[in-house]
Amino acid sequence: MHIPPRVLTVAGSDSGGGAGIQADLKTMLALGTHGMSVLTAVTAQNSLGVQGAWELPAEAVRAQFRSVVDDIGVQAVKTGMLSSAVLVETVAELLADLRVPVVIDPVGVSKHGDALLAASALDAVRTKLLPTATVATPNLDEVAQLTGVRVEEEADMRRAAAAILDFGPRWALIKGGHLTAGHGDGEQAVDLLTDGTEEHWLRAPRHDNRHTHGTGCTLAGAIAAQLAKGDTVPQAAKAAKDYVTGAIAAGFRLGGGIGPVDHGWRLRGEH
């Protein structure tokens, strides 16, 4: 009997299905793993933005986590939306006892610019959550929020990575997708993966498609899935970058705003 690698996502729900828990589970399935979830918040969300968000109690988050980990077990964990200091500290405490790879996506704002992390939680992210990370995957806005480092061009990504690594993750993946043409290579989406010694520049074609909702969740979820399958961090990041690039290329319109990336593009044989 084949039992797929088990991956746990600790994140919020996106009712529109493009990001959050929904994106994570779709990604994990597409990459041949069994996804499980700890829900941290419920959002009312669609292609236009986030209309409301309701955080779950810490005891509910803790109970979900223990229920899955103690019975089923996990081979990798990925975190997403942890909206308050209480939730950040609760999840950090739970992760500290695990001996499996952990991918921390320090979600700060949604694709539409809606705040998903209270300012009061930033210090807990820095001091409690990031030290548990095998890989931290901030985008450029999250780097600025956490470290004060503003990335204007590709060369600044090294400074950004060093600032994130100072908080304790083993690896930092600085996502440069928000760099505009004229800063670095405008024709490519460039990410930097480093542990402070090794450097891996991950480059992929920049697709002209505005329907990119869920990109960050999908990348972090894909890294976690690959780590659960036994990849090294550089192998996992490269495979995840390839997967999310295809998902962005196949992103589609839903509603009147920004549609989601297509998590199932490989399942249809699209390359």
Side-chain angles (χ1 to χ4, degrees):
M1 177 186 297
H2 170 67
I3 300 176
R6 292 144 290 159
V7 190
L8 179 64
T9 169
V10 183
S13 168
D14 172 1
S15 54
I21 287 278
Q22 288 82 352
D24 294 340
L25 294 177
K26 292 172 187 176
T27 297
M28 291 165 187
L29 177 63
L31 294 176
T33 63
H34 174 68
M36 303 167 293
S37 61
V38 171
L39 202 63
T40 61
V42 175
T43 69
Q45 188 171 170
N46 56 25
S47 70
L48 301 173
V50 179
Q51 291 78 45
W54 298 267
E55 181 180 304
L56 268 69
E59 64 189 71
V61 171
R62 190 178 291 109
Q64 292 174 81
F65 187 96
R66 291 264 61 96
S67 180
V68 171
V69 172
D70 294 348
D71 173 51
I72 300 171
V74 298
Q75 285 152 313
V77 180
K78 176 258 178 189
T79 72
M81 178 184 176
L82 303 173
S83 51
S84 69
V86 169
L87 284 188
V88 170
E89 290 168 2
T90 297
V91 171
E93 179 184 322
L94 291 166
L95 294 175
D97 292 333
L98 291 184
R99 296 294 177 264
V100 300
V102 173
V103 180
I104 300 294
D105 186 17
V107 176
V109 295
S110 76
K111 180 68 68 178
H112 306 88
D114 302 292
L116 298 176
L117 178 70
S120 58
L122 287 173
D123 194 52
V125 172
R126 296 181 189 108
T127 62
K128 303 287 179 63
L129 191 63
L130 287 176
T132 71
T134 306
V135 193
T137 64
N139 63 30
L140 302 187
D141 292 333
E142 290 154 357
V143 166
Q145 190 178 38
L146 289 165
T147 71
V149 174
R150 301 201 172 274
V151 176
E152 303 291 345
E153 56 188 35
E154 201 175 292
D156 296 333
M157 293 173 74
R158 284 195 180 97
R159 271 195 313 124
I164 291 292
L165 288 172
D166 280 346
F167 293 124
R170 284 173 46 203
W171 292 82
L173 177 63
I174 307 301
K175 299 179 294 193
H178 291 176
L179 279 179
T180 55
H183 299 287
D185 187 342
E187 299 305 312
Q188 290 189 316
V190 182
D191 303 333
L192 171 60
L193 173 72
T194 180
D195 64 353
T197 303
E198 290 182 42
E199 268 190 11
H200 302 268
W201 292 89
L202 307 177
R203 302 176 186 274
R206 187 183 293 277
H207 294 288
D208 184 19
N209 184 359
R210 68 188 292 263
H211 301 301
T212 56
H213 185 49
T215 308
C217 304
T218 300
L219 180 67
I223 293 172
Q226 293 300 129
L227 290 173
K229 293 193 289 187
D231 278 5
T232 64
V233 171
Q235 288 170 338
K238 182 180 185 305
K241 175 81 168 180
D242 291 345
Y243 171 74
V244 79
T245 299
I248 291 169
F252 52 91
R253 181 176 62 82
L254 280 183
I258 300 173
V261 301
D262 187 349
H263 301 94
W265 67 275
R266 277 186 179 160
L267 303 179
R268 294 189 304 279
E270 297 175 16
H271 298 283

